[in-house]
Amino acid sequence: MRLRALLETDALGLRLLGGEEELDRTVRGVMTTDLRDPSRYLSGGELVLTGLAWRREPEDSERFVRILAGAGVAGLAAGEAEMGSTPDDLVQACARHRLPLFSVVEDVSFASITEHVVRQVSSERAGDLAAVVDRHRRLMTSGPAGGGPEVVLDLLGSDLDLRAWVLSPTGRPIAGSSLAGAGPALPGAVCATLAGEHLAAARTGRRGPHRVTVAGSTYSLFPVGAAAGAGAAAGDVRETVLSDWLLAVEADAGDWPAERLDLLDGVTQLIAVERERREAARTVRRRLAQEVLELVQTGAAPAEIAARLRVAAPVLLPGLGSAPHWQVVVARVEWEGGDVPGGPVAQALLEEILVAPEATGPEPSDRIAVAHVGDEAVALVPLPAVPARPESFEDLAADPADVPAAPGLHADALLKAVREPLSRGLADDGRLTLGVSAPVHSAEGLRGALEEARHARRVAAARPGRVCAAGHQELASHVLLLPFVPDDVRRAFTARLLDPLRDYDRRHRAELIPTLEAFLDCDGSWTRCATRLHLHVNTLRYRVGRIEQLTGRDLSRLEDKLDFFLALRIS
């Protein structure tokens, strides 16, 4: 709004004392102050209201007005309640600094003026932004000329003073204020917490926005569902909850007017258009992965698989030619009851999980090809070459087996940053298990890599928890055997060895189970184990003796140590 509009509102009781030529200044906010130096609280464009308590002598007016002019305020309004009239020295100071000056009659409160200005400014900003959002939506619907959701999020920041981010279901930032360089980035832990809170709310069927307080800041979470006109029918929330984005706004939307909520709804619809477009862009990569997977599973000739890989490599590694190494990742999402297909959910999740946690934006997922069959999703992950010595690369390139690969994927690392939010989204009736193969350097190795990843996933499925993973490294150890021991046998085995210790710990707080774990980790070394547990060796010997007494086992015997070790791992 303009300063001139304030004079046209009789109820505000404002009288112009100077600065008529400056009345076209824009008012962006209002502030009441009687501080001698309020500069730290000014950002420019405010109408400053003051009761003149800062003025003790005429010279104070020059200093006060100079500070306001330097801060770029729109105008100054002085109340008459304290002094009866506006001092001449203040009128003269405002004239020297070309600062519009108003007087406020005694029977009009500053609160009334503040409420009027805030209401006018907010509605004007919201109206302007709504028009921009509508125009931008039309642009994005007809083509990529709109520039993506970052443009509208920047407008939320500049016009409504709202910091906002678009997050993936795992909490990875896709777009937002901080990505455009405005303010600090949202910490990864906060992103993961917000994503988890959003998924938990969605699973309970609560309508957005959801209000969450994290690290002292309040956020409002708006779900980003299917774009209007996308043709997505309402169905089971489990089909989409782990693939939909969310809009996180650093503000409490609980007391927002309907107009502002409608505006944010328009923003989420705009973001949904972009999500649908990027989802469609994955079609080619998914088709490539599906073709390679079918060739591998049907036992096609290695030459045929290699030819298909040569087609896929430029799409997944643009500008880098072929990929000398590949890794296979298998994921499975299972819902209790079996009435919700898990394959598409696992496919979308795997495409998200395989993006490095520190990566921002959607582009990193453009190099990941994931297919799905039934409830299982399979990813082909290319590993570009990293030659040890550039001058020898041409000699090595003739044999892909000799070309060093980039560091491969590690199962635990893939899930470390996303375990918390995904567990909230899976709730009590869903489960995600994941297996990772070793890198292979030829088409002949892909079939073995696929079986290795599937076997690792079965190992992960034998573990407790909603989100579990296993890698190829574990298939060469004892854990390879554990998933295939019947459940009732495993329960009986662990109960016989560990239940007496758990019962004793519960009654006496003796910490026998932690002592047993540490003793085995230290290979039975009394000194090292006592040091790790900060115990005297005699105390450790007493605890181990109690373990042997309660279980009837001898921890000096290899067989009994192995039984305890396996029991702890199974449990």
Side-chain angles (χ1 to χ4, degrees):
M1 65 179 301
R2 306 288 182 182
L3 280 175
R4 190 180 306 278
L6 296 174
L7 289 175
E8 297 170 357
T9 306
D10 295 336
L12 297 181
L14 294 177
R15 184 165 57 93
L16 183 66
L17 300 180
E20 184 175 2
E21 66 280 4
E22 302 291 337
L23 290 181
D24 286 328
R25 290 186 181 187
T26 300
V27 179
R28 297 187 177 277
V30 62
M31 175 185 166
T32 300
T33 183
D34 275 312
L35 294 174
R36 294 171 65 85
D37 181 1
S39 57
R40 73 184 71 179
Y41 304 109
L42 297 171
S43 57
E46 297 92 349
L47 171 67
V48 175
L49 307 176
T50 181
L52 301 179
W54 47 266
R55 182 184 179 276
R56 298 171 185 171
E57 52 189 14
E59 290 76 12
D60 290 340
S61 293
E62 170 65 25
R63 180 175 180 273
F64 185 77
V65 172
R66 185 172 64 250
I67 290 173
L68 298 189
V73 304
L76 173 64
E80 297 180 349
E82 184 72 20
M83 304 185 68
S85 62
T86 305
D88 289 340
D89 48 87
L90 181 59
V91 176
Q92 295 167 8
C94 287
R96 283 193 295 271
H97 292 279
R98 301 177 64 84
L99 182 66
L101 175 64
F102 304 86
S103 66
V104 183
V105 298
E106 186 175 349
D107 58 349
V108 175
S109 68
F110 284 174
S112 299
I113 299 174
T114 299
E115 182 181 356
H116 176 83
V117 172
V118 170
R119 186 169 59 249
Q120 291 296 117
V121 170
S122 297
S123 62
E124 288 179 9
R125 287 182 177 181
D128 292 343
L129 183 56
V132 174
V133 168
D134 185 64
R135 183 171 66 254
H136 200 68
R137 183 190 297 116
R138 292 197 299 270
L139 284 170
M140 291 186 65
T141 304
S142 60
E150 293 85 355
V151 175
V152 177
L153 297 187
D154 286 345
L155 289 172
L156 287 176
S158 62
D159 284 26
L160 294 184
D161 298 324
L162 294 176
R163 297 180 71 213
W165 299 264
V166 179
L167 304 179
S168 77
T170 64
R172 183 173 61 87
I174 293 172
S177 305
S178 60
L179 301 185
L186 202 61
V190 174
C191 291
T193 300
L194 294 178
E197 292 290 341
H198 164 71
L199 291 174
R203 286 304 313 273
T204 60
R206 287 192 286 126
R207 293 174 59 87
H210 314 301
R211 285 175 288 165
V212 180
T213 299
V214 182
S217 297
T218 299
Y219 300 87
S220 296
L221 310 179
F222 295 81
V224 177
D236 195 308
V237 67
R238 293 174 294 179
E239 296 178 0
T240 59
V241 67
L242 295 177
S243 58
D244 285 346
W245 293 351
L246 68 137
L247 174 66
V249 180
E250 191 176 13
D252 186 345
D255 57 354
W256 281 5
E259 293 80 4
R260 179 168 287 202
L261 290 173
D262 289 343
L263 174 62
L264 266 294
D265 182 63
V267 172
T268 61
Q269 292 180 27
L270 177 61
I271 296 169
V273 172
E274 180 68 8
R275 190 182 76 87
E276 294 295 332
R277 175 175 294 125
R278 292 171 181 175
E279 181 76 6
R282 292 178 175 177
T283 303
V284 173
R285 297 188 300 279
R286 288 174 172 177
R287 185 181 300 120
L288 287 171
Q290 195 75 40
E291 291 174 355
V292 174
L293 178 61
E294 290 176 359
L295 291 173
V296 171
Q297 291 192 131
T298 56
E304 187 177 359
I305 299 175
R308 181 55 56 189
L309 287 176
R310 283 194 294 271
V311 173
V315 176
L316 302 177
L317 292 172
L320 298 179
S322 63
H325 295 81
W326 299 83
Q327 251 180 309
V328 177
V329 181
V330 172
R332 189 179 183 92
V333 171
E334 297 170 289
W335 302 102
E336 290 182 8
D339 54 336
V340 177
V345 180
Q347 182 179 45
L349 270 183
L350 202 48
E351 288 170 334
E352 173 62 30
I353 290 171
L354 291 175
V355 179
E358 67 276 6
T360 57
E363 290 75 14
S365 63
D366 291 347
R367 298 184 178 185
I368 297 166
V370 184
H372 80 83
V373 177
D375 288 339
E376 181 183 78
V378 179
L380 297 175
V381 183
L383 302 177
V386 182
R389 296 188 304 276
E391 64 273 12
S392 63
F393 179 65
E394 292 183 359
D395 297 331
L396 292 173
D399 185 356
D402 293 333
V403 180
L409 303 172
H410 194 279
D412 288 336
L414 285 176
L415 296 182
K416 181 178 180 181
V418 303
R419 193 182 304 275
E420 177 188 350
L422 290 186
S423 296
R424 304 287 301 276
L426 291 163
D428 296 328
D429 59 349
R431 193 153 192 254
L432 167 67
T433 53
L434 184 144
V436 181
S437 78
V440 296
H441 61 267
S442 66
E444 292 91 337
L446 276 180
R447 186 177 181 85
L450 176 60
E451 291 305 315
E452 187 175 54
R454 282 175 168 163
H455 200 80
R457 192 206 63 78
R458 288 194 290 270
V459 170
R463 295 172 175 168
R466 290 290 170 187
V467 181
C468 298
H472 61 91
Q473 303 93 337
E474 301 177 64
L475 300 186
S477 71
H478 63 281
V479 297
L480 175 64
L481 305 174
L482 298 183
F484 309 104
V485 177
D487 288 344
D488 54 347
V489 175
R490 284 191 288 149
R491 283 194 294 268
F493 179 69
T494 58
R496 186 167 59 251
L497 281 175
L498 301 183
D499 280 2
L501 306 183
R502 291 182 178 130
D503 291 341
Y504 190 87
D505 282 348
R506 189 163 45 249
R507 293 196 309 269
H508 302 283
R509 300 181 180 179
E511 298 187 353
L512 295 185
I513 291 289
T515 300
L516 175 60
E517 292 174 332
F519 187 73
L520 295 176
D521 285 344
C522 293
D523 299 323
S525 169
W526 297 98
T527 303
R528 283 193 290 125
C529 184
T531 301
R532 175 184 293 190
L533 296 176
H534 306 290
L535 298 174
H536 192 278
V537 172
N538 289 341
T539 303
L540 176 61
R541 290 185 184 278
Y542 172 80
R543 289 188 182 180
V544 170
R546 179 64 67 182
I547 292 171
E548 293 175 334
Q549 180 185 11
L550 291 170
T551 61
R553 299 299 185 105
D554 183 356
L555 277 168
S556 66
R557 298 178 65 244
L558 176 62
E559 294 87 346
D560 288 343
K561 286 181 182 176
L562 180 58
D563 283 349
F564 277 122
F565 177 77
L566 291 175
L568 289 169
R569 291 302 298 267
I570 291 174
S571 64

